[in-house]
Amino acid sequence: MALTIKPYLQSVTLLRDKIENFDEYPFCLPIIRQLNKIEFHPDVTFFVGENGSGKSTLIEAIAILLKFNPEGGSRNFRFTTETSHSPLHSFMRPTKGHKAYRDGYFLRAESFYNVASNIDALDREPGPGPPVKSYYGGTSLHQQSHGESFWSLITKRFGGKGLYILDEPEAALSPTRQMAALVRINELVKMESQFIIATHSPILLAYPNACIYELHDEQLVKTPYEETEHYKVTRRFLANYRKELDNLLEE
């Protein structure tokens, strides 16, 4: 019988008994206040919720818990532009699979510029290995548009057999590129990869058989795609956008 390689990360448990005050940040965030344990899909797990619900803080904590740099990059990145991450990871315990991933990356959309700057800085220093930018297609990420740099990361840097933690990867991608990203994610899943993604994109959320956690009444609830608020709002707007616009602008 073949061994199941994934998931690399099975679950994360919040150590609630170690937390002294749930009225303090980050424990006061809606996504954290009622949290106990999160179980991850072997392929793709999504977190979705309103702005300010704590998705990025949760994703950041999971990444730091797994020894990724708080501002993003692989586990080899150790730069610091500004120390702004929360202590949430110190109150979490991971349950890992029996086999470690070979590749890994934390994409944080808001600080990917800092990752690109760090890559350029590393490449200015002489070293025995190839330039870091060669793993991203050979061109400095700063010499590409924001969207192109994200696309280079997904298509060239991600190599399979990896754990990829993505915070709002759609931020720089057009709808067409988001659909292309679905294809690339599927290719990487077939190459024994696992994804954990926080997103607002109803396009990315459509990935088949994914686990979608949506915030309902301060609890993360597994929610079918067509029952997510993002899907329903987008579908309602596109189905009759003139009426929706009239309603919105009249209000």
Side-chain angles (χ1 to χ4, degrees), residues 151-235:
W151 191 242
S152 294
L153 171 69
I154 295 170
T155 58
K156 297 180 172 65
R157 170 57 185 80
F158 292 1
K161 295 187 177 181
L163 175 60
Y164 303 112
I165 303 172
L166 314 181
D167 183 21
E168 300 185 4
E170 75 278 5
L173 300 178
S174 70
T176 301
R177 276 287 170 87
Q178 289 180 43
M179 288 188 282
L182 282 176
V183 175
R184 181 56 179 160
I185 288 172
N186 193 53
E187 291 173 349
L188 290 162
V189 165
K190 291 179 179 178
M191 296 164 64
E192 301 175 6
S193 297
Q194 182 183 14
F195 284 84
I196 299 170
I197 305 173
T199 185
H200 291 293
S201 169
I203 294 176
L204 294 184
L205 282 173
Y207 186 81
N209 302 317
C211 174
I212 302 175
Y213 285 105
E214 187 173 45
L215 190 67
H216 290 286
D217 298 325
E218 296 195 353
Q219 292 194 36
L220 284 174
V221 179
K222 288 184 179 181
T223 307
Y225 172 60
E226 293 183 356
E227 294 181 18
T228 63
E229 189 69 13
H230 285 45
Y231 171 85
K232 290 188 289 187
V233 168
T234 303
R235 184 178 186 275

Side-chain angles (χ1 to χ4, degrees), residues 29-188:
L29 291 170
I31 209 168
I32 306 300
R33 185 181 287 274
Q34 303 296 330
L35 183 64
N36 285 290
K37 183 178 182 180
I38 302 170
E39 295 182 343
F40 297 99
H41 192 281
D43 297 336
V44 180
T45 301
F46 288 110
F47 294 100
V48 61
E50 277 298 329
N51 296 330
S53 62
K55 299 184 310 300
S56 292
T57 301
L58 177 60
I59 283 282
E60 172 194 80
I62 293 170
I64 298 173
L65 185 65
L66 299 177
K67 311 302 182 184
F68 288 99
N69 188 57
E71 293 185 51
S74 71
R75 297 207 298 181
N76 294 325
F77 280 73
R78 284 294 175 263
F79 71 93
T80 300
T81 304
E82 182 177 353
T83 303
S84 60
H85 57 277
S86 80
L88 179 59
H89 62 282
S90 299
F91 298 85
M92 303 175 84
R93 182 180 67 240
T95 300
K96 301 178 182 179
H98 75 279
K99 187 172 182 178
Y101 48 92
R102 294 185 184 179
D103 188 27
Y105 210 95
F106 174 35
L107 168 64
R108 187 173 184 171
E110 67 180 31
S111 57
F112 192 55
Y113 181 95
N114 301 340
V115 174
S117 297
N118 185 246
I119 291 171
D120 284 352
L122 291 171
D123 283 346
R124 286 193 293 269
E125 300 175 1
V132 180
K133 67 182 179 183
S134 66
Y135 298 100
Y136 297 78
T139 302
S140 169
L141 295 175
H142 280 315
Q143 295 178 13
Q144 305 177 48
S145 72
H146 196 33
E148 288 173 329
S149 65
F150 272 47
W151 191 242
S152 294
L153 171 69
I154 295 170
T155 58
K156 297 180 172 65
R157 170 57 185 80
F158 292 1
K161 295 187 177 181
L163 175 60
Y164 303 112
I165 303 172
L166 314 181
D167 183 21
E168 300 185 4
E170 75 278 5
L173 300 178
S174 70
T176 301
R177 276 287 170 87
Q178 289 180 43
M179 288 188 282
L182 282 176
V183 175
R184 181 56 179 160
I185 288 172
N186 193 53
E187 291 173 349
L188 290 162

